[in-house]
Amino acid sequence: MGDLKQRLIEAMGEMPVIDAHEHLPPEKLRVARDVDVFTLFGHYTQTDLESAGMTQEQYDWLQEPDQPLTERWEVFEPFYQRIKYTSYARAARLAAQKFYGADIGPDSYVDITEQMKAGNTRGIYKRVMRDTCNIQVALTQIGRVPESNTDLLVPILPIGHLTGSGESGAMLHNAAEVGVELSSLADCDTAIVARIANYKKQGVVGFKMTSADLPEAAPDAAAMAFDKALCGEDYDQAALNTYLMHRALDLIGEAGLVVAVHCGIIWNNWNNFYDLHPKHMIPVALAHRNTRFDLYHGGIPWTGDTGVMAKELPNVWLNMCWCHVISQQMSIRALDEWLDLVPVNKIIGFGGDYHYPVEKIYGHLVMAREDIATVLARRVGAGLINYGEALELARMMFFDNPRDLYGLSV
Ligand SMILES: [Zn+2]
């Protein structure tokens, strides 16, 4: 079984990968930053450090490269001892081992820092993502279409770029950008259609929303809100936004693009993550049957719920972006259940979900391969699938499924 898992991991290392969700800025922004070992503790590990008792002020100070490195390490180390066994931290440790030759610790942090500074040069995205990870493209959400690295970064935009979140100034601006003058609520449709077409030309493949309790559209209330908004009077922004969200969800589907949905766990602390429960997407998916929804993060911790949703709703896909670094064991359990529940073309196996610490994509990918190999090897061992089928399933989850869902030409 261990041998089988190892063989699968090695075979996966040869497979091309579509990284199905990132927040990577264009490389020039990463290269322009001063980096050090604490860059590897940017993004998700911040929440573990703060959960372990680090203050926000301490964390922010840690991320100031011009402050003395040794002093920062001394503040950091007791917290590191508390978080070093989490999946978040493991991705950082794997990245340090791969690119800077050592696990992160008191004897290595200076050397890792020096190597990181030396290696923070043009081409780092290619070296990490293409050469080391075999990633062909990465779906990327940074709130705009990336101005460079467009061969690697495929944009997904916030859905607010279409709806203006029902805010009158943003709506007028959005409409004007595509040459539409807003005089009635129906003109908003025209503007949204034109914006989707424009973005599509720029390579955008989807729009992202957050799972939340979205009421049914109330066209009359929305029309009244729209008229008041245009007259500069107080208006019901929620009613207008709800209406426009429903229209955008239909129009995105009509254009053949995908709606990506953040479900479940939230990246920073002190939130009620139940507000983002994937169940909120059931009425939405039912109401927009010609639109495809890609549920991010497996809806952790509600992976059983999302599995049944993808089983029963033909327009719902499952995306394991971020999952493997939240918890490898939760990811393994989820995938094992999903393979019982869900047509295999609807499971997307990997998305790094990082921004500046691009090296951690490698750490995350190693963990994803381990998790997927664990599940597949177990199934081969139980006689449910053969080795060739295991390889085929891995290839689908890492490459074919995100390519087909998002219509990527790779
Ligand atoms: Zn994300």
Side-chain angles (χ1 to χ4, degrees), residues 348-403:
I348 293 174
F350 173 70
D353 214 346
Y354 287 118
H355 45 68
Y356 288 106
V358 62
E359 297 96 323
K360 289 205 279 192
I361 295 172
Y362 168 78
H364 193 165
L365 181 58
V366 167
M367 293 160 75
R369 287 176 180 146
E370 286 176 1
D371 295 349
I372 292 173
T374 298
V375 173
L376 296 177
R378 194 187 288 163
R379 285 179 173 249
V380 173
L384 295 168
I385 54 174
N386 62 38
Y387 184 73
E389 288 170 328
L391 289 181
E392 181 60 20
L393 293 182
R395 188 179 300 277
M396 290 177 79
M397 289 189 271
F398 277 115
F399 193 81
D400 298 355
N401 295 348
R403 177 197 62 197

Side-chain angles (χ1 to χ4, degrees), residues 10 25 88 137 160 308 336 376 404:
E10 278 162 28
Y88 279 170
V137 293
V308 175
D336 215 2
L376 296 177
D404 294 348

Side-chain angles (χ1 to χ4, degrees), residues 21-23 43-44 141 208 262 296-297 321-322 353-354:
H21 176 53
E22 294 289 353
H23 298 276
H43 216 156
Y44 299 118
Q141 202 290 92
K208 188 178 176 192
H262 178 112
Y296 278 8
H297 323 316
C321 58
W322 190 13
D353 214 346
Y354 287 118

Side-chain angles (χ1 to χ4, degrees), residues 92-410:
R93 297 173 68 184
L94 287 168
Q97 285 164 20
K98 179 70 177 178
F99 298 108
Y100 309 117
D103 193 3
I104 298 163
D107 300 329
S108 64
Y109 73 91
V110 174
D111 186 51
I112 290 172
T113 294
E114 281 166 13
Q115 288 193 60
M116 285 183 73
K117 287 183 194 297
N120 192 31
T121 56
R122 247 184 100 183
I124 186 172
Y125 277 15
K126 181 177 174 294
R127 294 193 292 277
V128 171
M129 296 174 73
R130 284 258 169 80
D131 302 349
T132 311
C133 296
N134 208 359
I135 289 170
Q136 304 301 298
V137 293
L139 302 181
T140 302
Q141 202 290 92
I142 52 168
R144 65 180 189 278
V145 176
E147 56 276 14
S148 51
N149 304 105
T150 48
D151 61 325
L152 184 61
L153 307 180
V154 176
I156 290 197
L157 294 176
I159 200 165
H161 280 41
L162 303 178
T163 62
S165 305
E167 197 276 312
S168 58
M171 283 166 42
L172 287 164
H173 171 84
N174 284 352
E177 266 193 351
V178 287
V180 175
E181 202 179 316
L182 294 185
S183 56
S184 76
L185 191 55
D187 297 331
C188 293
D189 262 32
T190 313
I192 291 173
V193 168
R195 288 181 74 79
I196 292 171
N198 261 6
Y199 284 133
K200 203 172 168 178
K201 270 189 225 145
Q202 296 173 63
V204 172
V205 295
F207 294 88
K208 188 178 176 192
M209 64 179 287
T210 298
S211 184
D213 189 6
L214 182 69
E216 282 182 35
D220 292 345
M224 189 186 294
F226 177 87
D227 290 341
K228 286 186 175 178
L230 244 54
C231 297
E233 296 170 24
D234 285 346
Y235 66 100
D236 184 349
Q237 186 179 339
L240 191 49
N241 185 46
T242 298
Y243 175 85
L244 293 174
M245 277 292 292
H246 283 289
R247 290 304 304 140
L249 292 174
D250 273 340
L251 296 168
I252 292 166
E254 280 174 29
L257 303 188
V258 177
V259 175
V261 189
H262 178 112
C263 292
I265 184 168
I266 308 178
W267 86 270
N268 53 1
N269 293 336
W270 301 110
N271 288 295
N272 183 352
F273 57 91
Y274 269 70
D275 291 344
L276 280 65
H277 197 295
K279 72 179 180 184
H280 298 309
M281 293 308 294
I282 297 171
V284 177
L286 288 169
H288 302 279
R289 297 186 186 196
N290 294 319
T291 301
R292 293 165 300 158
F293 294 89
D294 186 14
L295 303 189
Y296 278 8
H297 323 316
I300 281 179
W302 298 286
T303 55
D305 295 51
T306 52
V308 175
M309 287 169 69
K311 183 178 187 66
E312 296 194 353
L313 299 165
N315 56 344
V316 166
W317 271 249
L318 299 170
N319 189 325
M320 299 194 81
C321 58
W322 190 13
C323 288
H324 309 281
V325 294
I326 297 169
S327 163
Q328 291 199 258
Q329 290 306 316
M330 283 177 101
S331 301
I332 288 166
R333 198 184 68 210
L335 181 58
D336 215 2
E337 291 180 359
W338 292 350
L339 287 173
D340 285 341
L341 285 165
V342 180
V344 70
N345 67 304
K346 292 170 78 176
I347 302 172
I348 293 174
F350 173 70
D353 214 346
Y354 287 118
H355 45 68
Y356 288 106
V358 62
E359 297 96 323
K360 289 205 279 192
I361 295 172
Y362 168 78
H364 193 165
L365 181 58
V366 167
M367 293 160 75
R369 287 176 180 146
E370 286 176 1
D371 295 349
I372 292 173
T374 298
V375 173
L376 296 177
R378 194 187 288 163
R379 285 179 173 249
V380 173
L384 295 168
I385 54 174
N386 62 38
Y387 184 73
E389 288 170 328
L391 289 181
E392 181 60 20
L393 293 182
R395 188 179 300 277
M396 290 177 79
M397 289 189 271
F398 277 115
F399 193 81
D400 298 355
N401 295 348
R403 177 197 62 197
D404 294 348
L405 174 60
Y406 286 92
L408 304 173
S409 45
V410 282

